[in-house]
Amino acid sequence: MNDREGEEIIEEDEDDKLKPEGEVDLGPRFSIKEQLEKDKDDVSLRKWKEQLLGSVDLSAIGESKEAEVKIQSLTIQCPGRADLVLPLPFTKTSKSNSLFAIKEGSRYRLRFSFIVVGNIVSGLKYTNTVWKTGVRVDHTKKMLGTFSPQKEPYVYEMEEEVTPSGMFARGSYSARTKFVDDDGKCFLDVSYHFEIQKNWATPS
């Protein structure tokens, strides 16, 4: 990634623009055990909390007041092709060293898995911004939801999309992917390059 593109990614990211200049007081945080004890006399609220937590083993999660989301995999799925599993953590890429290449006009779907530990994560969001020659050409923001801690990973599949096609669509793109919760805590923030090509690359 050259310096100019790196600057544009930071300047053009709408999520960064919407951040308040000052710190926002979100009030005291509570561990899951504390949340269950809080308002325990409210039957309907207690049932909602228990439904949200499901079969969480409280003895295994400790007294953490902070939620952590660990992104385990990011996968691009194209019909008739082997899954393209992106390496985590990403290594820094450039136009001449793209993270992956995909054929123009291809149907694809993004699938990712993650684990939540420590506490409930509220309002987890996925955002992805794409630039070509310094111009933003796509911005996706998806609310994933609220998740309680569990040992098994959550798996989420995005809606199917189609890559652009045509002479002007081919070439190198830069992108930035983020996972952020309602409190503004960022669990993954990666920038990378990829290519759209006329044909699928021939295996070497």
Side-chain angles (χ1 to χ4, degrees), residues 60-173:
I61 61 175
E63 299 286 348
S64 175
K65 296 182 180 181
E66 296 289 337
E68 287 293 335
V69 177
K70 300 178 180 180
I71 310 300
Q72 291 198 311
S73 67
L74 295 172
T75 304
I76 298 173
Q77 298 177 314
C78 296
R81 304 283 303 183
D83 287 354
L84 179 59
V85 181
L86 307 183
L88 289 174
F90 290 173
T91 55
K92 187 174 181 180
T93 63
S94 63
K95 284 186 177 180
S96 60
N97 183 26
S98 296
L99 188 63
F100 63 89
I102 190 168
K103 180 180 179 294
E104 64 178 346
S106 296
R107 293 159 46 210
Y108 73 96
R109 186 189 304 271
L110 179 64
R111 179 180 185 269
F112 43 81
S113 64
F114 57 92
I115 287 180
V116 177
V117 297
N119 208 330
I120 298 169
V121 59
S122 177
L124 184 63
K125 293 181 289 292
Y126 159 84
T127 66
N128 188 61
T129 309
V130 179
W131 296 262
K132 190 175 192 295
T133 62
V135 178
R136 196 182 76 175
V137 295
D138 185 67
H139 181 71
T140 300
K141 181 184 289 186
K142 180 71 174 180
M143 172 61 71
L144 306 181
T146 296
F147 303 89
S148 61
Q150 66 177 34
K151 294 181 180 180
E152 295 299 318
Y154 291 97
V155 178
Y156 196 96
E157 289 189 353
M158 299 287 286
E159 295 179 359
E160 187 176 79
E161 298 186 60
V162 179
T163 57
S165 59
M167 181 175 63
F168 295 108
R170 300 172 205 144
S172 179
Y173 291 77

